[in-house]
Amino acid sequence: MVSREANLADAAAIARVYVDAWRTTYSNLMPAKFLADLSYEERETKWVKIFSK
């Protein structure tokens, strides 16, 4: 397996993994509305900001 440092081009994919992981992992622990309201776009924006620093 080859690993590399994540970069700005990865932001959308990381956002999808993050949201999907939260929805799967916390489905029985968090309110359904909270998980449904998680947004790929909002999370991508946060990752873009992180990578842009």
Side-chain angles (χ1 to χ4, degrees):
M1 174 188 260
V2 176
S3 297
R4 65 170 175 76
E5 189 171 315
N7 60 52
L8 185 59
D10 300 315
I14 293 170
R16 285 191 304 274
V17 169
Y18 178 94
V19 169
D20 291 346
W22 265 74
R23 288 179 177 161
T24 301
T25 304
Y26 299 109
S27 64
N28 293 321
L29 300 172
M30 301 294 289
K33 178 163 178 21
F34 174 83
L35 296 172
D37 287 346
L38 291 174
S39 164
Y40 295 131
E41 294 79 15
E42 287 178 22
R43 190 52 53 179
E44 181 179 356
T45 298
K46 290 180 182 190
W47 279 105
V48 167
K49 288 180 183 178
I50 290 168
F51 289 127
S52 296
K53 290 184 178 180

